[in-house]
Amino acid sequence: MNVIAFSMPANAYLNPRVWGGTGVLETALWATSFVLVEDKFRALFAMMFGAGIAILLGKRGAHPLRAHYARMGVLLAIGLIHAVVLANNDVLRIYAVCGLLLPLAVNWPVKRLLWAAGLLIAGQLAVSGYYAWAWLDYWHQRAGGMPVDPLPQEMAERTYGSHPDTTAAALARGKESFAERLVRRVSEPMLQVRFIVASIPSALAAMLLGVALWRSGLLAGEWDTRRAVRLARACAAVSVPVLLALAAWNILAGFDPIVTAANALVLSAPFDVVLGVGYAALAMAVFGGALKDRAITRRLAAAGRMALTNYLATSTIFAALFAGWGLGLFGEVSRAEALLLALVPIIAMLAWSPPWLARFRQGPAEWAWRSLASFTRLPFRRDRASRPLT
């Protein structure tokens, strides 16, 4: 999904009519992404992060909380640098902040974890829904031909639609030099703060679900295939019909920015998380079952063990393709072309991860993260011992 954020104006991430999305193919690609991809895999990634913290905190060692908070502090620094230098929508900042809170709940019973996740999602839905229903009430009045103030519609077009001024400003930012980007991003600290704060409830809810799925045995590989498939089917049955209906509403409304934003940011949110849980169950059923010992599973596992390295490398590749200091393809491709270019980092990470891990203990970003957090130069090559940082 990040290829859309790198390759075209920001509003196109939610609204395909903003850029490169007017044809049948582009609409179908958007709908497929909206129903099956967008925010589902972000939730799944957060679940895995939560499960990883539960695993690490469950290990015996001196000062486990001190080590955990050191890891989160370094991760926050990495995320802030990543956001300034490459990716406005960096998730590492959110994970680091949520990770600071997670030890408070990591030992809760599974039911309490599930309730807490549900309450966080419901709370965010209530708060954001309060504004969304006002947007939709205005849209309903305007769509019904009632006289309304045009200013809210213009504001919606500027924020979530294809207002020419917003698009022109986005295209200008996409063509800026590396130095210009650094100056702009450093001068916008409150944007980073608002992004993190707004994202905490959904990310923390997904992390709590990840801990619950680990503690329940699903992510630990303790469920049999049939049980995992049942959960995946149930999650799909609950979420996919609603997401299809929301996608259809967007299309029938002509991707009105009010409808598009309300559906993408508010109404779809709980169903995105539910489908993310379904994907987790399906992955465990498939890759922990019939494909457990296959070469493709080992290759995917290697890419997963280098998740931080591959995440940062993907941003680097996209910047090289689209940024003004790279090939400068920003605003030059359609949605279909952008999604095809997303295959570049996908193929690259699947190609380089296994041979890298055959020689090194972990990815370079993982090694740097853990070494900085422990103030120790940890083993990197498979035949090297650790020694203090100097």
Side-chain angles (χ1 to χ4, degrees), residues 151-164:
L151 182 59
Q153 179 66 23
E154 182 180 351
M155 292 176 63
E157 286 284 356
R158 287 182 178 275
T159 307
Y160 304 112
S162 54
H163 193 283

Side-chain angles (χ1 to χ4, degrees), residues 69-345:
Y69 287 122
R71 285 193 297 268
M72 294 303 101
V74 173
L75 185 65
L76 178 59
I78 294 172
L80 291 171
I81 294 170
H82 181 228
V84 169
V85 175
L86 294 173
N88 297 348
N89 62 344
D90 166 84
V91 299
L92 302 177
R93 302 163 293 175
I94 305 162
Y95 290 0
V97 172
C98 291
L100 297 175
L101 303 173
L102 209 56
L104 300 173
V106 76
N107 292 319
W108 285 356
V110 170
K111 286 186 178 180
R112 188 184 300 177
L113 289 165
L114 294 175
W115 272 106
L119 289 173
L120 279 170
I121 294 170
Q124 184 178 42
L125 185 63
V127 172
S128 54
Y130 175 81
Y131 299 100
W133 287 121
W135 301 345
L136 292 172
D137 182 59
Y138 170 85
W139 169 80
H140 179 74
Q141 294 179 36
R142 182 173 53 80
M146 297 177 63
V148 293
D149 181 358
L151 182 59
Q153 179 66 23
E154 182 180 351
M155 292 176 63
E157 286 284 356
R158 287 182 178 275
T159 307
Y160 304 112
S162 54
H163 193 283
D165 292 347
T166 303
T167 303
L171 290 173
R173 286 195 299 271
K175 301 296 184 180
E176 65 190 0
S177 68
F178 184 72
E180 289 171 336
R181 175 185 170 84
L182 289 182
V183 170
R184 177 175 61 82
R185 291 294 290 168
V186 169
S187 65
E188 300 172 336
M190 291 309 300
L191 286 180
Q192 297 221 32
V193 173
R194 287 197 292 269
F195 181 81
I196 293 171
V197 171
S199 304
I200 285 176
S202 58
L204 185 57
M207 289 181 190
L208 292 173
L209 285 173
V211 177
L213 294 177
W214 168 257
R215 297 275 302 282
S216 70
L218 173 64
L219 295 182
E222 297 171 0
W223 286 25
D224 61 58
T225 300
R226 187 174 301 176
R227 184 183 179 192
V229 169
R230 282 201 304 268
L231 177 59
R233 286 175 176 170
C235 290
V238 168
S239 57
V240 171
V242 177
L243 293 167
L244 284 170
L246 294 178
W249 185 10
N250 277 6
I251 295 170
L252 292 174
F255 288 95
D256 184 283
I258 291 177
V259 175
T260 302
N263 286 343
L265 301 177
V266 182
L267 302 182
S268 66
F271 304 98
D272 295 335
V273 175
V274 170
L275 191 53
V277 172
Y279 283 150
L282 183 62
M284 294 306 300
V286 173
F287 298 107
L291 300 182
K292 184 176 182 179
D293 299 318
R294 299 292 182 88
I296 182 60
T297 302
R298 292 193 295 271
R299 187 169 292 276
L300 289 168
R305 287 180 57 197
M306 293 175 57
L308 179 60
T309 294
N310 286 329
Y311 177 61
L312 299 175
T314 296
S315 294
T316 303
I317 291 172
F318 284 159
L321 288 172
F322 300 111
W325 63 87
L327 295 180
L329 295 179
F330 183 86
E332 302 293 335
V333 297
S334 68
R335 184 170 293 261
E337 292 167 337
L339 292 174
L340 282 175
L341 287 171
L343 293 174
V344 174

